[in-house]
Amino acid sequence: MRVVGNTSVGNAVRPTINSANFGPAYDLYDRNVDCDANTWFGNRYRTFNPPCVTNGGQQV
Amino acid sequence: MTRPRKFGTLLLAALAGTLPTVGGVGAQVGLSCGSTITADTTLTADIGPCPSFGLIVGADDITLDLGGHRVFGTPQPLDNAGVYMKGRSGVTVRNGTINAFDAGVAIEGGSGNTVTGIRAVDNIGRFSGGVNSRFGDGIAIMSSTNNRITKNLLRNNAPYSGVGVYTLIDSNHPRDTSGPASGNLIDSNDILDNRLGRDGSLGSTDNDGIRLETNTTGTVITNNRVNNSGLDGIALFVGSADTVIRNNQVTTTACTGPQPATATASWSVAPRTAPSSRTTSFAGTATTASSCAILLGRCPEQRT
């Protein structure tokens, strides 16, 4: 899996209702441990999880 | 009622809705809701309202040009797809608007089809309250390979996705065609405001801009603008492998409301044994739903 050169910003605004039912909300998110074998590179973002999704990227 | 006439190998279903007039080269007359297209066709008028299916593609290697016209269903669910192709290959669908069906374009089986220049808007199915649509997407690719979805506008489709790619057969996309959905290209589309949930509201939505469900492989997602999706902008379910996501702009994922109780159940998936290039591992306990711009590894159990 390759996730490269995307711009992902302004997402995951927490809801105003019943936010307890929501889990993590990020611009970039890989739920696999250490991103498994996925390649994340050169993406622009504000929020992320885990750090492996930020490789070569830019937090804006 | 106008008597249907044959043109080329056109097959006509029962007439309903508006009848187009004779057009130029490749145009066909007598088209109406549910007509099956078996030759190159250019619409010369709108078609609809259609209570079940707009146009059905019944031959390989043909072009259905909507000619800038509109094929439209009804505001109610259960009117199926605006353009439906089953087991078709090498078909191009282009240049027009498809709205108010359960899906704009539904591709089931086959391979190598192209959908371009289509405005698929307000195609809203339903899966609640005993009303179960077959689809709920702007464009649905089901058990089909190497299709090209390019330069379309996919707006306010529900409850599943702007573009959905499906390998597994389930009650959300029931069909008798099995096989993988692989090698599909989703490029340069505007995928906007696909938010509504299965009950037609925002409160329990799991609607995604681009949705690759379990066991889709080799999808390429490039240069799309994905904005204001219900749950995730681009969501890859567990087992969607060898995907490339490049140069997309994903913004303002809506995160519009709480997930229903079924989304809060604990789950556990055994560590993968698949090749390392695949994202199939996912072990842990999810107690909440996610709302993310680009997400890998949503568990099927999180679906409502």
Side-chain angles (χ1 to χ4, degrees):
Chain A
M1 206 82 67
R2 287 177 288 158
V3 186
V4 180
N6 301 282
T7 297
S8 180
V9 297
N11 301 286
V13 176
R14 287 284 180 175
T16 57
I17 56 173
N18 201 9
S19 60
N21 278 2
F22 274 88
Y26 303 104
D27 288 331
L28 304 178
Y29 187 30
D30 193 329
R31 301 190 68 173
N32 299 280
V33 176
D34 294 330
C35 295
D36 193 43
N38 300 315
T39 298
W40 295 75
F41 188 82
N43 300 291
R44 301 174 74 243
Y45 57 90
R46 289 181 185 153
T47 57
F48 64 93
N49 189 45
C52 52
V53 303
T54 66
N55 291 333
Q58 180 183 9
Q59 193 166 21
V60 297
Chain B
M1 179 178 293
T2 301
R3 182 178 181 180
R5 291 171 286 174
K6 289 186 178 179
F7 185 96
T9 55
L10 171 66
L11 301 176
L12 293 174
L15 289 175
T18 305
L19 297 178
T21 57
V22 177
V25 174
Q28 296 183 341
V29 296
L31 292 178
S32 61
C33 297
S35 290
T36 297
I37 306 298
T38 58
D40 291 344
T41 298
T42 302
L43 297 190
T44 56
D46 295 349
I47 294 179
C50 299
S52 180
F53 290 109
L55 297 171
I56 298 169
V57 178
D60 296 340
D61 302 316
I62 64 173
T63 295
L64 171 58
D65 189 332
L66 301 187
H69 293 287
R70 181 169 71 116
V71 180
F72 60 101
T74 70
Q76 290 75 37
L78 303 177
D79 44 15
N80 289 300
V83 173
Y84 177 60
M85 56 182 89
K86 179 178 179 181
R88 300 272 70 93
S89 297
V91 171
T92 296
V93 179
R94 68 186 184 197
N95 188 28
T97 297
I98 305 171
N99 79 307
F101 290 94
D102 298 338
V105 179
I107 302 172
E108 176 180 337
S111 66
N113 304 292
T114 298
V115 180
T116 187
I118 293 296
R119 297 176 72 255
V121 296
D122 305 327
N123 297 288
I124 298 173
R126 188 178 178 94
F127 199 95
S128 66
V131 180
N132 301 332
S133 303
R134 291 178 62 188
F135 318 105
D137 314 86
I139 297 174
I141 301 172
M142 301 165 290
S143 300
S144 185
T145 61
N146 300 320
N147 300 288
R148 298 172 58 86
I149 310 301
T150 65
K151 299 179 181 177
N152 303 286
L153 170 65
L154 309 167
R155 185 167 211 158
N156 190 34
N157 304 286
Y160 304 118
S161 72
V163 180
V165 185
Y166 306 95
T167 288
L168 298 184
I169 300 173
D170 61 17
S171 58
N172 300 334
H173 294 84
R175 58 189 185 275
D176 56 15
T177 302
S178 61
S182 63
N184 295 293
L185 171 68
I186 302 169
D187 178 75
S188 301
N189 301 284
D190 282 341
I191 303 172
L192 313 175
D193 306 324
N194 299 287
R195 302 177 64 194
L196 293 177
R198 300 175 186 222
D199 62 357
S201 76
L202 295 173
S204 60
T205 183
D206 67 330
N207 198 338
D208 301 316
I210 299 173
R211 180 186 187 105
L212 307 186
E213 287 207 1
T214 302
N215 293 346
T216 62
T217 60
T219 309
V220 176
I221 301 170
T222 49
N223 307 309
N224 299 286
R225 184 165 66 108
V226 183
N227 180 263
N228 199 26
S229 304
L231 186 56
D232 299 320
I234 300 173
L236 279 63
F237 285 50
V238 169
S240 53
D242 304 325
T243 306
V244 175
I245 304 172
R246 184 186 296 272
N247 296 338
N248 302 283
Q249 291 189 9
V250 188
T251 54
T252 323
T253 299
C255 201
T256 47
Q259 292 292 292
T262 52
T264 64
S266 297
W267 50 267
S268 179
V269 178
R272 65 179 171 81
T273 56
S276 59
S277 62
R278 296 183 171 222
T279 298
T280 52
S281 65
F282 204 173
T285 298
T287 56
T288 53
S290 300
S291 179
C292 301
I294 300 175
L295 174 143
L296 300 179
R298 183 197 292 180
C299 279
E301 288 81 357
Q302 282 190 280
R303 293 166 51 185
T304 55

